[in-house]
């Protein structure tokens, strides 16, 4: 079935009485070049199980299923289930979970569904939960080799920014902490139905095999990053002391121990500088 043919898509949707939900971020891909590229650049290959988040009518799901050994897909919208039964009828290696990805036991799902396989994530993410989904995937340290996702262009720029640059944010620090990230290609708004108001881009995150910090340092590090970046125009001393309830003197001492001056701002730190500052602050504030 040609799921990028507008006529075919309209026919399926109208036969099933389906109307798009803006709230669920439903913009389906109709440009035939995009899904094969995401699948090929996202590890959909023999020996792999691929987890997809948000199937829509299954346009990407089908391209993943053609290439990978198995596809497990999580889709929240129950109205799409009968559509997927029809559009994915030719594939015996796809399993759909009608669940909210934010509440799903993804680790359990991967170990059950992909036993003996390598694992990857591929998705055209619903835009309203881009950052929470990416953080969930990274924080839960899923045993996946790559996370290849389409996000809004602005989100891609932030995710792929250099840590320490103006464009970076707490999420930039997080993806660089957990692995490496790069932009694969841009996608214009006309590639979707309905067409959104912004362009998109596909990025790939390759999670690191080993954590950079021990668990107790990692927890504190993310408190510092989230607190510090929530007031990013303030000096590190002001932001961190007010957000974490640590005295300014302790923050000054940690800055000094890290070779930073008292007026430094967290958003200017590299990842290594942030980790160094966090370790010093943790030791001094204890
Ligand atoms: N993969 C399809 C495509 O590329 O055409 C659909 C992508 S569309 C941008 C996002 C999909 O995610 C929608 O089908 C939407 O119903 C689904 N979705 C939204 N929130 C979700 C959630 N919390 N859990 C699982 N799926 C969700």
């Amino acid at each position: 079935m040609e799921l990028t043919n507008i006529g075919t898509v309209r026919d399926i949707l109208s036969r099933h009485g389906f109307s798009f939900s803006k709230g669920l971020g439903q913009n389906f891909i109709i440009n035939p070049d995009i899904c094969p590229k995401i699948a090929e650049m996202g590890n959909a290959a023999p020996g792999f199980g691929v987890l997809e988040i948000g199937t829509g009518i299954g346009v990407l799901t089908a391209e993943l299923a053609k290439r990978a050994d198995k596809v497990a897909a999580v889709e929240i919208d129950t109205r799409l289930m009968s559509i997927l039964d029809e559009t994915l009828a030719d594939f015996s290696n796809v399993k759909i979970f009608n669940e909210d990805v934010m509440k799903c036991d993804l680790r359990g799902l991967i170990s059950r569904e992909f036993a003996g396989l390598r694992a990857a994530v591929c998705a055209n993410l619903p835009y309203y939960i881009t950052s929470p989904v990416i953080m969930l995937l990274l924080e839960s340290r899923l045993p996946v080799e790559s996370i290849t996702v389409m996000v809004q262009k602005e989100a891609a720029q932030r995710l792929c920014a250099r840590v320490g640059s103006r464009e970076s944010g707490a999420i930039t620090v997080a993806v660089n902490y957990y692995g490496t990230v790069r932009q694969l290609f841009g996608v214009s708004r006309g590639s979707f139905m309905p067409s959104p108001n912004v362009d998109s881009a596909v990025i790939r995150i390759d999670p690191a095999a080993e954590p950079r910090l021990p668990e107790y340092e990692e927890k504190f590090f993310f408190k510092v990053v989230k607190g510090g970046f929530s007031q990013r125009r303030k000096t590190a001393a002001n932001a961190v002391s007010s957000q974490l309830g640590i005295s300014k003197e302790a923050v000054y001492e940690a800055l000094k121990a890290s070779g930073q001056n008292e007026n430094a701002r967290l958003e200017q730190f590299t990842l290594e500088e942030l980790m160094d500052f966090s370790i010093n602050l943790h030791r001094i504030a204890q």
Side-chain angles (χ1 to χ4, degrees), residues 94-245:
V94 177
K95 206 161 162 183
I96 308 287
F97 296 84
N98 186 195
E99 287 181 49
D100 177 347
V101 67
M102 299 306 292
K103 297 183 185 149
C104 190
D105 171 18
L106 296 175
R107 180 170 281 277
L109 187 152
I110 287 175
S111 74
R112 271 194 323 275
E113 301 300 326
F114 301 157
L117 295 175
R118 297 161 73 184
V121 175
C122 284
N124 171 15
L125 287 180
Y127 293 152
Y128 75 103
I129 45 169
T130 300
S131 298
V133 170
I134 291 176
M135 285 309 293
L136 173 76
L137 297 173
L138 294 172
E139 281 172 352
S140 45
R141 289 201 182 280
L142 296 181
V144 296
E145 292 183 30
S146 58
I147 298 169
T148 306
V149 287
M150 173 128 62
V151 300
Q152 286 192 343
K153 192 174 150 194
E154 287 68 24
Q157 281 164 349
R158 180 161 285 248
L159 285 158
C160 298
R162 184 175 54 77
V163 177
S165 70
R166 277 186 76 84
E167 297 73 33
S168 75
I171 187 121
T172 322
V173 176
V175 288
N176 282 280
Y177 174 84
Y178 284 112
T180 54
V181 58
R182 66 199 151 102
Q183 180 164 322
L184 298 180
F185 58 93
V187 179
S188 71
R189 62 194 76 184
S191 300
F192 302 91
M193 179 173 146
S195 169
N197 295 328
V198 288
D199 294 322
S200 294
V202 177
I203 62 156
R204 174 168 156 162
I205 302 167
D206 288 5
E210 296 295 328
R212 287 178 188 264
L213 293 171
E215 210 178 325
Y216 72 101
E217 287 290 7
E218 184 176 295
K219 275 201 184 121
F220 187 76
F221 172 72
F222 278 106
K223 271 192 204 161
V224 171
V225 169
K226 284 176 188 164
F229 275 81
S230 71
Q231 300 189 312
R232 52 182 300 159
R233 302 288 167 225
K234 285 194 178 175
T235 62
N238 281 333
V240 172
S241 90
S242 74
Q243 290 293 307
L244 275 75

Side-chain angles (χ1 to χ4, degrees), residues 54-65:
T55 58
I57 62 168
V59 61
L60 174 59
T61 326
E63 295 302 328
L64 300 173

